[in-house]
Amino acid sequence: MRVLIGGGSGFVGRELTRLLKSKGHEVTIISRQPGPGRITWADVESGGLPPCEGAVNLAGENIMNPLRWWNDSYKKDLFSSRVDTTRTLAQAIAASSSPPQSWVLITGVACYKPSLQSQYTEDSEWTPFDLLSQLVKEWEEAGRLPHSLAQSTRQVVIRPGAVLGRDGGAMKQMLTPFWLGLGGPLGSGRQPFPWIHVSDLAGIILHALETSSSPPSTQPEVFNGVAPALNTNYEFTKELGRILRRPTLFPVPGFLMDALLGSERTVILTQGQKVVPKRTLESGFQFRYPDLTSALREIVGS
């Protein structure tokens, strides 16, 4: 299978590329810079979709980039880097004389309203309630294909939680303070913490590319890209501290995170959703890291 990956040079893209190649698939990455095995977004816009059986979009500015101040310019980049690249790929698929069999878009769980009680599955209805949920709405709408493609191209949306792994993502910024004994719960720590190991997210994407839907649908199939375990931020913090053999005595107050990150971005850390991968499990996907202990031990090498 030939697979085209938008944003394939990032944290998740590297893991997905490694997995696809290990299964004998051929990968082409769309990035800002050309190179071996790569094309640019400008190439797609001008030349159309290269021959492929699967297309995936992972592109997007890092929402927790500590080097970017939370302002209108950054918010614009968050939207354009996701919505515009998704629209470019969707339009190229729609215009192709030989569209791919699968089109997989990776968005996020920010569409679900934070709650200590509510539990969300892929069937849960939602409407935008803040900036990030509005982003998910526009993002997923940009990926919709014309109804005429329903027979030829399977549309899949995967909504991951916090992606954990050794080489990037949320863990990259967390490990240093934890090693120094300065790790602690964020805010109250009671908020749900939906998460997934990067290997499992890559596995869900591969599973979506390799399986087919029956019957064909004009609506995207949605899969929650989260581990089956339902954890709070406090539980995550204590388990990481236990595995690292480091104390977790210093809660990080919400007002400090507001000052450093901006209040609209801080909600990702201080609020959360109980998200269940109901359809993901029903599809037959088996998680390698279904619980925090196994995931964190792999990441920190314990």
Side-chain angles (χ1 to χ4, degrees):
M1 179 169 52
R2 294 167 295 183
V3 182
L4 185 67
I5 307 177
S9 57
F11 170 48
V12 178
R14 294 192 302 272
E15 181 71 15
L16 177 60
T17 298
R18 184 199 62 76
L19 178 61
L20 286 167
K21 288 184 175 179
S22 75
K23 301 291 184 181
H25 301 304
E26 183 181 317
V27 175
T28 300
I29 290 171
I30 314 173
S31 66
R32 285 170 285 195
Q33 301 296 327
R38 297 176 182 230
I39 59 174
T40 67
W41 290 101
D43 292 334
V44 177
E45 290 174 350
S46 61
L49 197 74
C52 62
E53 287 71 51
V56 180
N57 195 26
L58 292 162
E61 170 78 26
N62 178 8
I63 201 165
M64 298 306 292
N65 186 346
L67 303 178
R68 293 291 302 271
W69 186 245
W70 189 256
N71 54 28
D72 289 342
S73 172
Y74 185 34
K75 294 176 197 177
K76 184 179 177 182
D77 287 348
L78 290 177
F79 273 72
S80 63
S81 63
R82 289 165 170 79
V83 177
D84 292 354
T85 56
T86 298
R87 185 177 294 113
T88 294
L89 262 178
Q91 290 175 346
I93 291 169
S96 174
S97 59
S98 180
Q101 297 161 9
S102 300
W103 159 224
V104 183
L105 175 62
I106 318 303
T107 61
V109 296
C111 58
Y112 305 123
K113 195 167 188 176
S115 171
L116 295 178
Q117 288 81 34
S118 299
Q119 190 164 290
Y120 299 99
T121 71
E122 294 90 345
D123 298 315
S124 300
E125 295 185 4
W126 62 278
T127 54
F129 56 89
D130 66 359
L131 181 81
L132 298 179
S133 56
Q134 180 63 34
L135 170 57
V136 175
K137 180 176 185 291
E138 294 183 23
W139 198 355
E140 294 186 0
E141 285 180 349
R144 294 284 179 94
L145 300 179
H147 287 183
S148 60
L149 285 178
Q151 295 295 325
S152 59
T153 302
R154 179 192 187 201
Q155 302 179 65
V156 175
V157 169
I158 299 172
R159 297 173 180 156
V163 183
L164 307 181
R166 192 175 299 182
D167 301 320
M171 293 299 298
K172 196 169 186 179
Q173 296 170 20
M174 283 188 219
L175 281 176
T176 299
F178 271 86
W179 275 118
L180 295 173
L182 300 174
L186 303 178
S188 71
R190 295 173 55 233
Q191 66 273 24
F193 181 68
W195 62 273
I196 187 167
H197 191 287
V198 66
S199 296
D200 280 327
L201 178 55
I204 294 172
I205 298 170
L206 175 63
H207 187 67
L209 289 168
E210 291 185 333
T211 56
S212 59
S213 59
S214 182
S217 173
T218 58
Q219 298 298 314
E221 295 176 70
V222 176
F223 295 95
N224 285 334
V226 295
L230 291 172
N231 297 111
T232 63
N233 174 264
Y234 178 85
E235 290 167 343
F236 167 80
T237 301
K238 291 302 175 184
E239 185 62 13
L240 180 56
R242 186 184 72 81
I243 289 172
L244 292 174
R245 297 184 177 87
R246 293 293 187 275
T248 52
L249 305 175
F250 303 101
V252 184
F255 72 85
L256 179 59
M257 287 184 283
D258 284 347
L260 294 173
L261 298 173
S263 58
E264 288 176 308
R265 185 162 46 166
T266 296
V267 298
I268 299 172
L269 303 176
T270 58
Q271 300 179 31
Q273 313 90 334
K274 292 181 181 178
V275 184
V276 178
K278 178 175 179 286
R279 193 174 296 151
T280 307
L281 291 168
E282 289 173 350
S283 75
F285 179 76
Q286 295 186 332
F287 286 82
R288 289 179 63 192
Y289 304 102
D291 57 80
L292 273 176
T293 302
S294 62
L296 293 176
R297 283 194 183 282
E298 191 283 330
I299 291 166
V300 303
S302 176

